[in-house]
Amino acid sequence: MDDGKPSGPRTKWWSRPSTDRDRPAGPEEDGAAATGVADASGTAPAGPGGTTGPTAGERLPHTTPDGDYTPAPPVAAPPPAADRGTPAPAEPAPPAAEPHVHRTQPLHAPDEYSTPPYGGPGPWAPAPPVQRPVATPAHGTPVPPPYAGTDGHGTAAPPVAAAPAQGGQEHHTDPWPPPHTVPQQHPVPQPPGQTPQQTSQWMRYDPWGAPRQPLSHPGPGQGVDDVRPRKARRGTVLVGAALLALLVGGIGGGVGAYVERNGGLTTVELPQSGRDAGGRAPDSVAGIAASALPGVVTLHVNGSAESGTGTGFVLDDRGHILTNNHVVAPAGSNGDITVTFSGGESAAAEIVGKDSGYDLAVVKVTGVSGLTPLPLGNSDNVRVGDPVVAIGAPFDLSNTVTSGIISAKERPITAGGEKGDGTDVSYVDALQTDAPINPGNSGGPLVDAEARVIGINSAIRAADSGSGLDGGQSGSIGLGFAIPINQGKRVAEELISTGKATHPVIGVTLDMEFTGDGAKVGGKAAGGASAVTEGGPADKAGIRSGDIITEVEGQRVHSGEELIVKIRAHRPGDRLGLVLTRGGKELSMTLTLGSASGT
């Protein structure tokens, strides 16, 4: 059954059909169309009229080696036959320049989007992108300038010569077909004597050519020249990105350094308790200091030979101030003494009286109001372990407060003696404290838990020297001594009243070189007189030369210094009970203390 399909051998997939597949078969080539094959010589079978090949007036294209074709030269039309019913004698076919193979027609209709059919022309590569159909003008679509004179990918194409038109006129056409045309369903017959001016657009399509060919991307093409600027722009973008990264890194580093050095970008506020009213318990160190400081002063003494700094405290509202004798001693008879109060006010002062035996002195300031006298306590009520506070100006650091306890009582302390004759020796039945006392604390108050004065800070024992006053000694090692306030009160009252202090005496001369236990009465006094003053307290009590006194008021005495300290701890006129040894026998007696003027 003949259904119009080709009955000859099928074309293989690698065959390349000729471009005349779209030409419809005429009645004169029914025989060839029926079979669709050619003989071995490459000519089509003869038609009904005995002719072979194309009919008169047709031109076979010459196939090029790469599968493309070129138009054949025009053939003169045969003269019309006189009688169409009588066949004209067959003319010998012109020798073919090259064999022509008639290929079978594809089984499907031509693609309206100009997509090459299977096995169609073009390199063996995927089909080009889908092309949108556009109407092709009669005169053709102009080729963009980048592709003018090239084969679509930058290669120059040979020019095509235009065939002369009828009447001797030349018909000028574009040397290249339009980049995008729509193939016709049926070929348009050309007038006799004219040669087709356009070739198939798929014959020159190269998918491996330069990007954006006219067939796939209409408009200006992009070749090598278009890629270079893009690379340059990419390089510019990379340089800009690098500069931006450096700038951001620098800013980040600066911010990090600022955060590291300043603790952050915001102000740090730590939790803190609010201000209190400032009140303290009266018996606390702060409460005691707040109560006692207004009555403490600092003394600066300047003399002709030396100067010094010490402390004192106010005794009354008349301007009397109690301090140590060794504090004001550098002033001499015409030195200057300046008193500075805790509030910073200063005033000149003058000596009212002094006594080297007790190491006490009283000075007075005038023209000063609003003084705050310190209350005086009772040193006889002090017990070992009681808390105490020392106030003074150690090393000229005024208003310094230290605290401690009473370490011991009735410590016999002797200080001074620089003159060598014993007239400047001080005998103190002192209170011992571990409250730090340093040079400059001398004369300052030692107060109890109720801010009452119980002693006058006078001496310290240094590690590199024996006992003595604080002048020229090293700092505190926890051994400080204060004159009991009971003794200081009596001496201060006498100095304010008479300018001098009286000393209690028993009327004997002691042997200070005795090394045994107790205080021994000497054999002879100065100038060969008796060691026991005639008519004195000791003589009246029955004491003799060579007796050894071992106890005073029940307290053991181990040396002559201790006996003096114990006696001076009392007032003149006081009755004392003594225990002594005479000839190996122990005797007890009582005497009344006498009085002597101090120096």
Side-chain angles (χ1 to χ4, degrees):
M1 178 178 177
D2 187 4
D3 56 356
K5 298 182 180 179
S7 58
R10 287 192 175 186
T11 306
K12 301 300 181 181
W13 66 271
W14 58 80
S15 64
R16 303 184 68 176
S18 62
T19 56
D20 60 352
R21 65 181 180 275
D22 294 335
R23 181 172 56 85
E28 61 272 28
E29 53 183 4
D30 291 338
T35 61
V37 299
D39 56 9
S41 61
T43 60
T51 60
T52 60
T55 59
E58 284 188 271
R59 299 181 306 276
L60 287 176
H62 295 279
T63 305
T64 60
D66 60 353
D68 207 346
Y69 63 90
T70 58
V75 179
D83 186 6
R84 292 188 178 270
T86 302
E91 294 180 5
E98 53 186 325
H100 173 72
V101 180
H102 183 77
R103 305 187 187 280
T104 59
Q105 185 175 1
L107 298 180
H108 56 78
D111 186 7
E112 60 180 353
Y113 295 106
S114 301
T115 303
Y118 298 110
W124 312 123
V130 176
Q131 306 297 317
R132 303 301 178 186
V134 294
T136 303
H139 59 275
T141 303
V143 179
Y147 297 91
T150 63
D151 58 357
H153 53 81
T155 304
V160 179
Q166 293 180 359
Q169 295 180 356
E170 295 183 357
H171 180 72
H172 298 279
T173 59
D174 294 334
W176 297 105
H180 185 78
T181 59
V182 179
Q184 300 292 335
Q185 295 289 342
H186 302 284
V188 179
Q190 297 289 338
Q194 288 189 355
T195 302
Q197 302 298 318
Q198 297 180 358
T199 59
S200 174
Q201 61 181 338
W202 300 109
M203 294 299 103
R204 295 191 309 277
Y205 172 70
D206 184 6
W208 309 109
R212 294 192 62 179
Q213 297 186 23
L215 293 177
S216 59
H217 297 279
Q222 293 183 357
V224 179
D225 295 339
D226 296 335
V227 176
R228 291 177 180 175
R230 183 167 301 182
K231 290 183 178 179
R233 288 193 298 270
R234 185 180 299 112
T236 303
V237 172
L238 292 177
V239 171
L243 293 177
L244 180 60
L246 290 176
L247 179 61
V248 172
I251 295 175
V255 172
Y258 177 83
V259 170
E260 182 180 357
R261 294 176 182 177
N262 297 277
L265 297 177
T266 58
T267 302
V268 177
E269 294 186 3
L270 301 177
Q272 184 181 21
S273 60
R275 295 177 61 90
D276 58 12
R280 295 291 183 273
D283 57 348
S284 65
V285 175
I288 295 169
S291 177
L293 274 173
V296 180
V297 299
T298 302
L299 286 82
H300 295 89
V301 181
N302 294 311
S304 58
E306 55 183 339
S307 62
T309 301
T311 308
F313 59 93
V314 179
L315 292 174
D316 54 30
D317 55 3
R318 294 181 295 175
H320 291 107
I321 297 171
L322 181 63
T323 186
N324 283 135
N325 177 68
H326 71 266
V327 171
V328 298
S333 58
N334 56 0
D336 296 330
I337 301 175
T338 302
V339 175
T340 303
F341 296 88
S342 61
E345 301 86 355
S346 297
E350 60 181 10
I351 298 176
V352 174
K354 59 183 181 178
D355 187 275
S356 60
Y358 291 112
D359 193 23
L360 292 173
V362 174
V363 298
K364 183 178 180 181
V365 294
T366 57
V368 179
S369 60
L371 299 177
T372 305
L374 291 185
L376 303 181
N378 190 332
S379 55
D380 291 341
N381 298 332
V382 174
R383 296 294 182 265
V384 175
D386 285 349
V388 291
V389 173
I391 304 175
F395 300 99
D396 202 14
L397 300 173
S398 60
N399 300 327
T400 297
V401 176
T402 57
S403 64
I405 60 172
I406 295 296
S407 302
K409 293 177 60 176
E410 300 176 350
R411 290 293 192 190
I413 298 300
T414 58
E418 285 81 4
K419 293 182 178 180
D421 55 1
T423 58
D424 60 340
V425 176
S426 299
Y427 299 92
V428 180
D429 193 20
L431 298 173
Q432 180 181 336
T433 179
D434 64 352
I437 297 174
N438 294 284
N441 273 109
S442 295
L446 183 70
V447 300
D448 60 10
E450 297 182 15
R452 297 173 302 189
V453 180
I454 59 173
I456 302 98
N457 301 319
S458 299
I460 61 174
R461 182 174 292 275
D464 56 351
S465 63
S467 62
L469 300 180
D470 61 352
Q473 295 187 20
S474 61
S476 172
I477 60 173
L479 294 175
F481 303 96
I483 299 172
I485 191 60
N486 289 1
Q487 184 177 349
K489 177 180 178 294
R490 180 182 66 85
V491 174
E493 290 172 347
E494 291 181 352
L495 293 175
I496 294 173
S497 300
T498 64
K500 291 184 180 181
T502 59
H503 298 173
V505 295
I506 61 175
V508 296
T509 300
L510 299 177
D511 184 3
M512 303 303 293
E513 296 179 359
F514 177 69
T515 59
D517 187 28
K520 183 179 180 180
V521 179
K524 293 291 182 178
S530 175
V532 177
T533 304
E534 186 177 356
D539 184 34
K540 294 178 180 179
I543 298 175
R544 300 177 184 177
S545 295
D547 291 346
I548 300 174
I549 301 173
T550 57
E551 291 184 10
V552 175
E553 289 292 315
Q555 295 180 353
R556 187 73 180 178
V557 174
H558 301 283
S559 64
E561 289 84 358
E562 287 190 20
L563 178 62
I564 298 172
V565 169
K566 296 300 182 182
I567 292 173
R568 290 194 176 180
H570 295 81
R571 293 174 178 266
D574 292 345
R575 294 180 62 87
L576 297 180
L578 302 177
V579 176
L580 53 86
T581 301
R582 181 185 298 168
K585 295 181 179 180
E586 186 174 285
L587 303 174
S588 296
M589 58 186 62
T590 302
L591 58 76
T592 302
L593 293 176
S595 176
S597 296
T599 55

